[in-house]
Amino acid sequence: MAADGPLLLVIDAAIVLVALLNLLCGYRAVKGPTVPDRVVALDAIATNVVAIAVLFAIKTGRGLFVNVSIVLAIIAFLSTVAVAKFITEGDVIVTRE
């Protein structure tokens, strides 16, 4: 069931707001000043994309976008963990010789 009436207006406003927040996070990801700031900004961008996908799923009534958002959230989490490990240890996969 797709959203209608005032709920549709609220969802549209939320999508626009999250998109603007995504632009601000994009600025932080480009400008820095440090690598952890960039990592946090990229993680926030991934979270915002997940939020947009869920809002679009509510707006259209298609459950497929919820599945897509779950996969995006898992990929974003794993990439954040990998980058954090790379920053702290200098290696993502440790091989023992």
Side-chain angles (χ1 to χ4, degrees):
M1 185 170 119
D4 56 347
L7 181 61
L8 188 63
L9 182 64
V10 171
I11 291 173
D12 286 338
I15 289 174
V16 169
L17 180 66
V18 173
L20 289 174
L21 291 173
N22 225 359
L23 288 174
L24 292 173
C25 289
Y27 174 77
R28 177 55 59 198
V30 170
K31 288 304 237 182
T34 63
V35 175
D37 288 332
R38 290 186 172 113
V39 171
V40 170
L42 290 174
D43 190 40
I45 288 172
T47 304
N48 288 339
V49 169
V50 168
I52 289 172
V54 169
L55 287 168
F56 192 72
I58 294 170
K59 180 179 177 181
T60 60
R62 295 184 181 174
L64 176 67
F65 290 107
V66 175
N67 294 336
V68 168
S69 65
I70 290 171
V71 171
L72 283 172
I74 291 170
I75 291 171
F77 172 73
L78 292 176
S79 64
T80 302
V81 169
V83 170
K85 186 173 180 184
F86 179 74
I87 289 173
T88 58
E89 297 179 12
D91 228 356
V92 177
I93 299 173
V94 178
T95 57
R96 297 189 178 145
E97 295 178 14

